[in-house]
Amino acid sequence: MYVFIQGLSKLSMSPYRFSGSKPETSIRLATNNCPYNSACDGCSSRHISLCNVLDTDELKSFSKISTDFHKNAKQVICSEDEDAEYIYNIRSGSVRISKMLSDGRRQITGFLFAGDFFGLSCKDKYSYTAEAITNVEICRFPRTKIIESFREFPALGERVFDMTRTELDSTHDQMLLLGRKNAKEKLCTFLLTMWEKSGRLNEGNGDEVDIPMSRSDIADFLGLTVETISRQFTNLHKLGLIDLDGAHKVFLKDTDALSALAENG
Amino acid sequence: MYVFIQGLSKLSMSPYRFSGSKPETSIRLATNNCPYNSACDGCSSRHISLCNVLDTDELKSFSKISTDFHKNAKQVICSEDEDAEYIYNIRSGSVRISKMLSDGRRQITGFLFAGDFFGLSCKDKYSYTAEAITNVEICRFPRTKIIESFREFPALGERVFDMTRTELDSTHDQMLLLGRKNAKEKLCTFLLTMWEKSGRLNEGNGDEVDIPMSRSDIADFLGLTVETISRQFTNLHKLGLIDLDGAHKVFLKDTDALSALAENG
DNA sequence: CGATGGATTGAACTGGTTCAAGTGGAGTGG
DNA sequence: CCACTCCACTTGAACCAGTTCAATCCATCG
């Protein structure tokens, strides 16, 4: 039996890596048709989904419980304090996960991309809001069904636990960033993480990084203001470390220097 | 079979609560002698440990793999990048979990107390350093043994997964605090969390809260400096919201007002 | 082509830091 | 038992990184 699952862990920008997985729990990218939902004809190696390479019958039972849908940019997918009925998997597009204070101050706790999951690490209520950054295609599963299936397929449960731990690790890194890094260090760290991610997803794109989210999203992710983000972008440009092509495309000209600045800016 | 485990989730100051556990996975406090280690004679209702109310033989096998030890205040229990051989359970005392930047800036990601676990949410290396704040009694188990036992006792694995998710939730709250709250809000939030915790642990102590950690630990937990912490303490005192008895004992005189300040200081 | 909304830039301001000095309590040794 | 030391904590004052407020730029879209 192969458990076929990826994502989730990318929450908070720390991609899950496949090292160390035991054979019987090994994870594979979907290569062609999505096996768990016949309605999905868009599967490619970049569409990483909650596919279970179980036997055909097991697979069919999983297929039946999933629903595909679509959201436009800025639409809410699920919100804080709402009953956590589903877990979600992103087929395409980008999503932000955030929490708010009563007066509207916002902290984005993670950005999610194709293949990522969310909603699993919740209790009965969602503890955060998920919104579409770009147009997104989403697939959702009833949470209880998934959680029940951990007993039947322990490898699935172990995998999800493993990913949750990875995610926890990466939130600790983000706490270090939020609590102790200055604006320049924060932005450099962010750019490098986006770069690593994009390098993995579309190999060979060199040092061109796509930044789907707005300056204000980046600000709320890094605990800064839009203005500071903007100034730091210009700053890094003046230093000759990055080039900008519009607001959503960045060329990293010297990743080594950026790495150095990410810890000692 | 009863799985008998508590703690871990308190990392990042968000105590795990017992609501919603199914009967067969229900968690109980150790009441008297610690069943998993005959060397432990100090068990009380406040010593919450990795005890497994399994049958006697199962229990014995768990007992054999644990080791008790002791650390004095300021001693390191485990450190970043060290091989993650063990998981730890705190019998008594307080522990801080932290990460450092190369130049020595530190972020404390959580404080841990009696009954809490750490080291479980790691891969092959510890991703943080754990140090004793006070003198501590610790109990440790080989990680691999525990993780292997998840297959044999799925309820144990589910429980640990559950606690890890709770912990993840609380790190999101801490990210909101670090990224978006000001100094006064941060300290109020901190005091209230310590208060809730102490209320649970030693009921009936009213609004007196014990603060075992130093000002500098609090600063590194809240992303501030010692001076700011100190000033905010005096500030809250001048506002008549708290009284101070030395540096490590605080009386919360108006928890409602503190709650209000924790979100809109 | 004008309107809209994100992104940038400038200038004043401020919350929290930094640096520096002072305080107090616990431990040590004479 | 007091004097001395040490170290954590507090307090004060200057400073500055990042915010706030305001103006402008620029790309997109009806």
Side-chain angles (χ1 to χ4, degrees):
Chain A
M1 186 194 77
Y2 288 92
V3 174
F4 205 93
I5 181 171
Q6 206 252 15
L8 183 70
S9 53
K10 281 185 206 162
L11 182 64
S12 302
M13 316 284 302
S14 175
Y16 181 76
R17 288 173 203 290
F18 296 114
S19 57
S21 45
K22 292 175 193 163
E24 78 272 23
T25 61
S26 73
I27 302 308
R28 310 204 167 173
L29 299 183
T31 49
N32 217 303
N33 289 333
C34 174
Y36 71 86
N37 191 328
S38 55
C40 168
D41 57 1
C43 275
S44 72
S45 63
R46 293 186 55 193
H47 169 207
I48 311 149
S49 56
L50 183 74
C51 299
N52 298 271
V53 186
L54 307 166
D55 69 41
T56 317
D57 285 342
E58 290 164 345
L59 196 52
K60 277 186 182 158
S61 75
F62 262 93
S63 309
K64 280 178 195 148
I65 61 172
S66 75
T67 320
D68 284 356
F69 64 99
H70 177 275
K71 290 274 181 185
N72 290 327
K74 296 178 194 179
Q75 284 190 302
V76 173
I77 299 159
C78 69
S79 44
E80 220 172 322
D81 294 326
E82 195 177 273
D83 284 339
E85 278 187 77
Y86 303 101
I87 72 162
Y88 300 88
N89 177 242
I90 303 171
R91 291 174 171 286
S92 69
S94 315
V95 168
R96 63 174 176 245
I97 302 291
S98 62
K99 295 190 72 120
M100 292 249 279
L101 289 172
S102 49
D103 61 359
R105 279 173 290 173
R106 181 179 69 153
Q107 179 66 40
I108 291 180
T109 55
F111 294 114
L112 300 174
F113 307 95
D116 289 334
F117 283 91
F118 60 94
L120 244 177
S121 56
C122 294
K123 304 274 153 186
D124 48 333
K125 307 268 182 192
Y126 294 115
S127 57
Y128 44 68
T129 299
E131 290 153 297
I133 290 175
T134 61
N135 292 353
V136 290
E137 293 169 298
I138 306 262
C139 179
R140 75 181 183 197
F141 305 78
R143 262 180 78 241
T144 46
K145 296 268 175 63
I146 295 287
I147 287 168
E148 277 164 21
S149 70
F150 289 173
R151 282 272 169 136
E152 199 182 344
F153 312 117
L156 177 63
E158 283 167 29
R159 201 66 196 176
V160 170
F161 176 50
D162 211 37
M163 293 191 297
T164 308
R165 290 190 298 168
T166 305
E167 198 183 326
L168 189 55
D169 260 11
S170 78
T171 65
H172 289 158
D173 289 333
Q174 190 68 3
M175 282 166 74
L176 178 60
L177 175 142
L178 289 169
R180 289 298 177 219
K181 289 190 176 179
N182 65 29
K184 190 190 277 182
E185 291 165 337
K186 283 176 174 178
L187 188 60
C188 289
T189 309
F190 171 76
L191 289 175
L192 286 167
T193 321
M194 288 299 291
W195 172 62
E196 279 171 31
K197 187 181 300 297
S198 82
R200 270 192 335 110
L201 288 179
N202 25 299
E203 295 130 33
N205 260 4
D207 300 324
E208 179 184 322
V209 182
D210 186 49
I211 310 284
M213 61 290 287
S214 69
R215 295 289 184 264
S216 132
D217 284 342
I218 301 174
D220 284 346
F221 182 60
L222 301 179
L224 297 167
T225 59
V226 214
E227 293 92 335
T228 305
I229 298 296
S230 188
R231 277 185 250 274
Q232 289 302 329
F233 265 115
T234 357
N235 214 17
L236 292 178
H237 177 62
K238 280 180 189 161
L239 288 169
L241 299 177
I242 63 169
D243 277 338
L244 291 160
D245 176 10
H248 299 283
K249 195 160 279 184
V250 182
F251 298 84
L252 307 191
K253 295 167 77 180
D254 188 344
T255 51
D256 288 344
L258 288 168
S259 289
L261 284 184
E263 289 244 331
N264 282 291
Chain B
M1 186 194 78
Y2 288 93
V3 174
F4 205 94
I5 182 170
Q6 205 253 14
L8 182 68
S9 52
K10 282 186 210 162
L11 182 64
S12 304
M13 316 282 303
S14 174
Y16 182 74
R17 289 173 203 290
F18 296 115
S19 57
S21 44
K22 293 173 194 165
E24 80 272 23
T25 60
S26 74
I27 302 309
R28 312 203 166 175
L29 299 182
T31 49
N32 216 303
N33 288 334
C34 174
Y36 71 88
N37 191 330
S38 55
C40 169
D41 57 0
C43 277
S44 72
S45 64
R46 293 187 53 195
H47 168 208
I48 310 150
S49 57
L50 183 77
C51 299
N52 297 270
V53 187
L54 307 166
D55 70 43
T56 317
D57 285 342
E58 290 165 346
L59 198 50
K60 277 185 183 160
S61 76
F62 263 93
S63 309
K64 281 177 194 149
I65 61 172
S66 75
T67 320
D68 284 356
F69 64 100
H70 178 274
K71 291 275 180 184
N72 290 326
K74 293 180 194 178
Q75 283 191 303
V76 172
I77 299 160
C78 70
S79 44
E80 219 173 320
D81 294 328
E82 196 178 272
D83 285 338
E85 278 186 77
Y86 303 102
I87 71 159
Y88 300 88
N89 178 242
I90 303 171
R91 290 174 171 288
S92 69
S94 315
V95 168
R96 62 172 177 248
I97 302 291
S98 62
K99 297 192 71 122
M100 291 248 278
L101 289 171
S102 49
D103 62 359
R105 279 173 290 173
R106 182 180 68 152
Q107 179 66 41
I108 291 181
T109 54
F111 294 113
L112 300 174
F113 306 95
D116 289 334
F117 284 90
F118 60 95
L120 243 178
S121 56
C122 292
K123 303 277 153 181
D124 47 334
K125 308 269 183 190
Y126 295 114
S127 57
Y128 45 69
T129 299
E131 289 154 295
I133 290 176
T134 61
N135 292 354
V136 290
E137 292 169 300
I138 304 262
C139 179
R140 75 180 184 199
F141 305 77
R143 261 181 76 244
T144 47
K145 296 268 174 64
I146 296 287
I147 287 169
E148 278 164 20
S149 70
F150 289 173
R151 282 271 170 138
E152 200 181 342
F153 311 117
L156 177 64
E158 283 168 29
R159 202 68 193 173
V160 170
F161 176 50
D162 212 36
M163 292 192 298
T164 307
R165 289 190 299 167
T166 306
E167 199 183 326
L168 190 55
D169 259 11
S170 79
T171 65
H172 289 158
D173 289 334
Q174 190 67 2
M175 283 166 72
L176 179 60
L177 176 143
L178 288 169
R180 289 298 177 220
K181 288 189 176 180
N182 66 28
K184 189 189 277 180
E185 292 166 336
K186 283 176 174 179
L187 188 61
C188 289
T189 309
F190 172 76
L191 288 176
L192 285 168
T193 322
M194 289 299 290
W195 172 62
E196 279 171 31
K197 187 182 300 298
S198 82
R200 272 192 333 112
L201 290 179
N202 25 298
E203 296 132 32
N205 259 5
D207 301 325
E208 177 183 324
V209 182
D210 186 50
I211 309 285
M213 62 290 287
S214 69
R215 295 288 183 264
S216 131
D217 284 342
I218 301 174
D220 285 347
F221 182 60
L222 300 179
L224 297 166
T225 59
V226 213
E227 293 91 337
T228 304
I229 298 296
S230 187
R231 276 185 252 273
Q232 290 302 330
F233 264 115
T234 1
N235 214 15
L236 291 177
H237 177 62
K238 280 181 190 162
L239 288 169
L241 300 176
I242 62 170
D243 277 338
L244 291 160
D245 176 13
H248 299 282
K249 195 160 281 185
V250 183
F251 298 84
L252 308 192
K253 295 168 76 181
D254 188 345
T255 50
D256 288 343
L258 287 169
S259 288
L261 284 184
E263 288 244 330
N264 283 292

